[in-house]
């Protein structure tokens, strides 16, 4: 006999489990179906394991700098297996705590793959049948690998497999220069791998302000990471010593050799087996189409997170999960996800929110930018992390902040305040009139804001204007 609930959630990632917990808070009975462990890609194979690795890598980098300064007597010996062990322990702790929290709160968790089989009916391949008036699809995304001859060879891996290696490759090729690729480049270059990044576009870190992306590329090459843009990969072949990528750049054929090749070429919405067509759920560009309330074209069915395309970020999925659950509970809430912070956990970190220069120009907006270098920040110099920048963008007509782009230590912890500033329509004067604590990296935000006024205190002013053509 089918079990009945107020709401069924398909997928237990950051969107799904948040939707389930929010539904419980609002008095709904909730079933959540997950084919693997709760937490989805983020907790199990993405955000959390990579941040555990990056935390250790930052420690290694500090130790090397300390050895260079004579504080430590010699460079640190790195045990890669121990790093991977700690990563696994962190994931287990976070995921097991989440599982206890979700089940302890009262969510019924069903293990298996789910599909919509009729109005308000969800079947699980374990044999269970669930019924509810409302269903939230939070099935997430999966790695997308382009059709490159040889991409199926042993040693060509996705992010899922590379997080399971027990030995750092001597030579690593990363296909894809986006956020995921650059984070893994930071990790493996720091543990001794010779890293080569191959990117099809003419720049790395698409979506990051181009000026900051260029600055980061300079830092990347200074760390010994080879990065080539504008490449077209022809094939991957096996050699006597490993793998070889044959590619073309500027009409010239080139090759790169590796022991391991990571395909960091993006992700695509996961809809396999969900019964999308049978449920008459409309899709657009390979993703589920939704309205501002996250409703699909099927009555009572919502979709959230990566499966609807757009910004595939865990915090966006969680935000969507809250909104969908509230709408299921009878509240009328629309998503407002135009101002979304994005973080790149490289070394140094990059954090962005709002419009880039390119986006502001494309929108025909008159704007000004102000940039403050962390080399003028006492805290950054004290940390030995002075290679960074804070760049703010304001609308020339209203004076309101419309974009913020940061590179430096801990900037991922600073960008939320700037997201609030943009969403609230704050101006440079509002930021400059707010006392910032000293000594902190966040002081640099105020210095950049002062650049729109009479100029920063601790460096020469550097602002520029752009008028629509």
């Amino acid at each position: 006999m089918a079990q009945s609930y107020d709401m069924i959630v398909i997928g237990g990632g950051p969107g799904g489990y948040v939707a389930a917990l929010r539904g419980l808070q609002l008095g709904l009975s909730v079933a959540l179906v997950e084919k693997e462990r709760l937490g989805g890609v983020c907790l199990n194979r993405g955000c959390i394991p990579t941040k555990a690795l990056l935390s250790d890598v930052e420690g290694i980098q500090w130790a090397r700098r300390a050895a260079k300064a004579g504080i430590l007597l010699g460079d640190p010996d790195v045990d890669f297996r121990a790093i991977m062990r700690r990563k696994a322990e962190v994931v287990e702790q976070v995921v097991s705590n989440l599982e206890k929290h979700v089940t302890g709160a009262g969510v019924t968790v069903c293990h298996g793959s789910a599909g919509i089989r009729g109005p308000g009916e969800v079947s699980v391949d374990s044999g269970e049948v669930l019924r509810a008036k409302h269903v939230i699809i939070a099935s997430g995304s999966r790695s997308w690998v382009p059709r490159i001859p040889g991409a199926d060879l042993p040693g060509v891996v996705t992010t899922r497999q590379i997080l399971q290696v027990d030995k750092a490759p001597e030579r690593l090729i990363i296909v894809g220069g986006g956020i995921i690729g650059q984070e893994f480049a930071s990790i493996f270059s720091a543990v001794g791998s010779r890293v080569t990044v191959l990117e099809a576009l003419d720049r790395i870190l698409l979506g990051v302000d181009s000026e900051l992306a260029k600055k980061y590329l300079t830092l990347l090459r200074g760390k010994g990471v080879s990065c080539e843009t504008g490449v077209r990969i022809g094939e991957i072949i096996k050699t006597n010593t490993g793998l070889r990528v044959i590619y073309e750049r500027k009409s010239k054929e080139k090759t790169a050799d590796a022991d391991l090749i990571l395909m960091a070429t993006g992700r695509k919405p996961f809809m396999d087996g969900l019964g999308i067509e049978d449920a008459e759920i409309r899709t657009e560009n390979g993703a589920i189409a939704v309205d501002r309330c996250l409703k699909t074209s099927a009555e009572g069915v919502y979709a959230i997170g990566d499966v609807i395309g757009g910004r595939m970020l865990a915090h966006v999925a969680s935000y969507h999960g809250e909104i969908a659950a509230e709408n299921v509970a009878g509240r009328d809430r629309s998503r407002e996800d135009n101002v979304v912070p994005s973080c790149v956990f490289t070394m140094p970190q990059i954090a962005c929110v709002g419009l880039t220069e390119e986006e502001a120009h494309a929108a025909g907006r008159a704007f000004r930018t102000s940039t403050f270098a962390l080399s003028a920040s006492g805290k950054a110099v004290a940390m030995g992390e002075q290679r960074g920048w804070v760049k703010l963008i304001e609308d020339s007509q209203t004076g309101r902040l419309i974009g913020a782009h940061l590179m430096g230590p801990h900037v991922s912890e600073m960008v939320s305040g700037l997201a609030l500033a943009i969403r609230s329509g704050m101006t440079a004067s509002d930021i400059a009139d707010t006392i910032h604590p000293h000594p902190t990296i966040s002081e640099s935000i105020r210095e950049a804001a002062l650049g729109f006024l009479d100029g920063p205190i601790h460096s020469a002013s550097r602002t520029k204007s752009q008028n629509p053509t």
Side-chain angles (χ1 to χ4, degrees):
M1 182 177 177
Q3 294 292 316
S4 295
Y5 300 87
D6 295 321
M7 182 175 80
I8 300 169
V9 182
I10 299 175
Y17 78 72
V18 167
L21 291 170
R22 183 62 178 136
L24 281 182
Q25 288 180 338
L26 297 172
L28 303 175
S29 59
V30 182
L32 186 156
V33 186
E34 169 57 49
K35 63 182 179 181
E36 297 185 78
R37 296 192 71 180
L38 294 188
V41 170
C42 178
L43 272 63
N44 290 280
R45 302 181 299 280
C47 315
I48 299 305
T50 54
K51 300 315 157 292
L53 294 176
L54 282 163
S55 177
D56 289 340
V57 163
E58 287 172 357
I60 293 169
Q61 295 288 70
W62 178 88
R64 285 173 178 157
R65 187 171 68 246
K68 189 175 181 180
I71 298 169
L72 296 180
L73 303 179
D75 285 336
D77 291 328
V78 178
D79 186 338
F80 184 76
R81 285 188 175 87
I83 293 174
M84 296 300 280
R85 262 197 318 272
R86 196 187 81 85
K87 177 267 301 178
E89 291 168 359
V90 168
V91 170
E92 178 59 33
Q93 178 180 341
V94 173
V95 173
S96 61
N97 285 346
L98 173 66
E99 290 172 336
K100 292 174 185 176
H101 176 53
V102 170
T103 56
V107 176
T108 299
V109 177
C110 304
H111 296 282
S113 296
I116 300 173
R117 297 296 174 256
E121 184 173 291
V122 172
S123 65
V124 186
D125 61 4
S126 60
E128 295 175 271
V129 178
L130 311 174
R131 287 197 175 93
K133 187 177 179 181
H134 299 283
V135 176
I136 297 177
I137 299 174
S139 51
S141 61
R142 64 182 176 188
S143 295
W144 174 77
V145 177
R147 294 181 179 178
I148 298 172
D152 57 348
L153 286 170
V156 181
V157 300
T158 65
T159 55
R160 181 170 187 147
Q161 289 89 43
I162 200 169
L163 285 168
Q164 301 303 318
V165 299
D166 59 4
K167 179 182 179 182
E170 290 186 14
R171 304 165 299 170
L172 172 66
I173 290 177
I174 299 176
V175 179
I179 292 175
I180 296 173
Q182 293 303 339
E183 289 188 3
F184 278 101
S186 289
I187 292 168
F188 281 92
S189 62
V191 296
S193 298
R194 297 198 305 275
V195 179
T196 300
V197 178
L198 301 177
E199 170 56 54
L201 300 177
D202 61 0
R203 56 162 293 181
I204 63 169
L205 293 173
L206 184 66
V208 171
D209 182 83
S210 63
E211 183 179 17
L212 255 64
K214 288 177 183 177
K215 290 179 182 295
Y216 180 75
L217 180 58
T218 301
L219 297 180
L220 189 68
R221 288 170 172 161
K223 295 178 180 179
V225 176
S226 173
C227 187
E228 294 208 57
T229 58
V231 308
R232 187 181 67 82
I233 296 178
E235 64 176 325
I236 300 170
I237 62 173
K238 184 173 176 55
T239 68
N240 291 333
T241 58
L243 296 163
R244 176 171 295 163
V245 178
I246 302 172
Y247 62 99
E248 183 181 289
R249 185 172 187 267
K250 295 183 177 179
S251 301
K252 292 183 179 179
E253 184 174 284
K254 304 183 73 174
T255 62
D257 293 335
D259 303 297
L260 195 69
I261 298 174
L262 170 63
M263 303 300 289
T265 45
R267 302 186 66 82
K268 62 182 293 186
F270 183 84
M271 296 185 286
D272 295 358
L274 292 176
I276 299 297
E277 293 183 0
D278 293 340
E280 297 183 350
I281 297 173
R282 188 168 62 88
T283 62
E284 290 180 355
N285 301 318
I288 295 178
V290 295
D291 64 11
R292 296 298 299 173
C293 295
L294 298 166
K295 295 178 181 178
T296 71
S297 57
E299 182 66 29
V301 180
Y302 295 76
I304 63 174
D306 289 7
V307 77
I308 68 172
R311 296 174 183 264
M312 293 186 178
L313 299 169
H315 44 284
V316 172
S318 296
Y319 172 73
H320 286 173
E322 292 183 24
I323 292 171
E326 290 179 17
N327 286 327
V328 168
R331 300 188 180 186
D332 185 14
R333 186 179 173 191
S334 298
R335 57 182 168 135
E336 298 177 14
D337 49 10
N338 295 323
V339 180
V340 177
S342 177
C343 302
V344 188
F345 292 91
T346 46
M347 292 182 293
Q349 294 179 3
I350 300 171
C352 312
V353 65
L355 299 180
T356 64
E357 275 198 60
E358 298 81 7
E359 290 168 340
H361 183 75
R365 300 181 71 162
F367 64 90
R368 294 196 303 159
T369 66
S370 176
T371 303
F372 181 81
L374 294 192
S375 56
S377 163
K379 178 63 179 295
V381 174
M383 294 174 66
E385 299 283 353
Q386 61 265 42
R387 292 187 297 178
W389 296 265
V390 172
K391 177 179 181 179
L392 303 180
I393 305 176
E394 73 163 15
D395 186 296
S396 299
Q397 296 177 333
T398 65
R400 291 181 174 181
L401 189 68
I402 58 173
H405 309 275
L406 305 84
M407 182 189 300
H410 311 308
V411 294
S412 61
E413 305 293 344
M414 294 159 49
V415 73
S416 296
L418 288 164
L420 178 60
I422 293 173
R423 191 168 182 269
S424 302
M426 294 177 68
T427 65
S429 293
D430 293 324
I431 295 173
D433 287 343
T434 302
I435 297 175
H436 287 62
H438 173 80
T440 62
I441 301 297
S442 65
E443 287 177 290
S444 302
I445 295 173
R446 182 173 183 270
E447 294 277 3
L450 287 169
F452 292 124
L453 305 173
D454 294 326
I457 300 298
H458 292 90
S459 74
S461 178
R462 186 191 159 200
T463 60
K464 64 179 181 179
S465 299
Q466 176 72 55
N467 295 313
T469 56

